[in-house]
């Protein structure tokens, strides 16, 4: 008589996730059991469900619906989001390096912040990258005066 093996895990290509067989009834009762769930071996789960991905890889789905490692591609933040992050940092720098020290804010920093604000507001529609951050003018002038 052939030996019957019971699957401990299922994999869904639609969700890209594993589901423990022991919780199938709970998922079904909740209406969340994926219709494309297929039984997988413990070895497949150990590698793709519980294992650490190789460097630069994430779990994906092969053309046959099975789990596989695929190249990780970092999401690209929209330019306006990058500008908002840069503006926050620039404002902190200006506050710490100039305003709190009672020193006039150099024009380069004001211009830089204005350019970032234009990207955020959408009035700058031609930029494809952030403007270059000004060098720390205060440090540069201090270094020049000590040489």
């Amino acid at each position: 008589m052939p030996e019957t093996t019971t699957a401990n895990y299922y994999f869904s290509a639609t969700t890209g996730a594993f589901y423990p067989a022991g919780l199938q009834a709970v998922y079904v009762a909740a209406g969340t059991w994926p219709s494309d769930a297929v039984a997988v071996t413990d070895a497949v789960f150990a590698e793709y469900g519980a294992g650490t991905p190789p460097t630069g890889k994430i779990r994906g789905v092969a053309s046959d619906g099975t789990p596989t490692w695929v190249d990780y591609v970092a999401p690209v933040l929209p330019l306006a989001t990058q500008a908002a992050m840069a503006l926050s940092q620039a404002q902190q720098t200006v506050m710490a390096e100039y305003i709190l020290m009672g020193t006039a804010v150099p024009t380069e920093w004001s211009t830089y912040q204005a350019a970032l604000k234009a990207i955020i507001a959408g009035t700058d529609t031609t930029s494809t990258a952030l403007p270059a951050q000004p060098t720390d003018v205060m440090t540069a002038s201090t270094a020049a005066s000590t040489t």
Side-chain angles (χ1 to χ4, degrees), residues 76-123:
V76 178
L77 291 175
L79 189 60
T81 302
Q82 294 176 43
M85 293 168 37
L87 179 61
S88 177
Q89 184 61 50
Q91 290 170 333
Q92 291 174 30
T93 299
V94 167
M95 179 64 79
E97 296 286 330
Y98 302 103
I99 296 173
L100 292 177
M101 303 302 279
T103 306
V105 177
T107 305
E108 294 88 350
W109 279 101
S110 299
T111 302
Y112 175 65
Q113 289 185 40
L116 294 173
K117 288 177 183 177
I119 292 170
I120 295 166
T123 55

Side-chain angles (χ1 to χ4, degrees), residues 27-75:
Y27 283 108
V28 169
T32 57
W33 184 257
S35 61
D36 66 340
V38 295
V40 295
T41 64
D42 287 347
V44 168
F45 176 75
E47 179 168 352
Y48 298 105
T52 302
T55 302
K57 302 285 187 176
I58 60 171
R59 183 175 58 229
V61 180
S63 60
D64 65 356
T66 59
T68 188
W69 297 127
V70 297
D71 292 334
Y72 172 75
V73 178

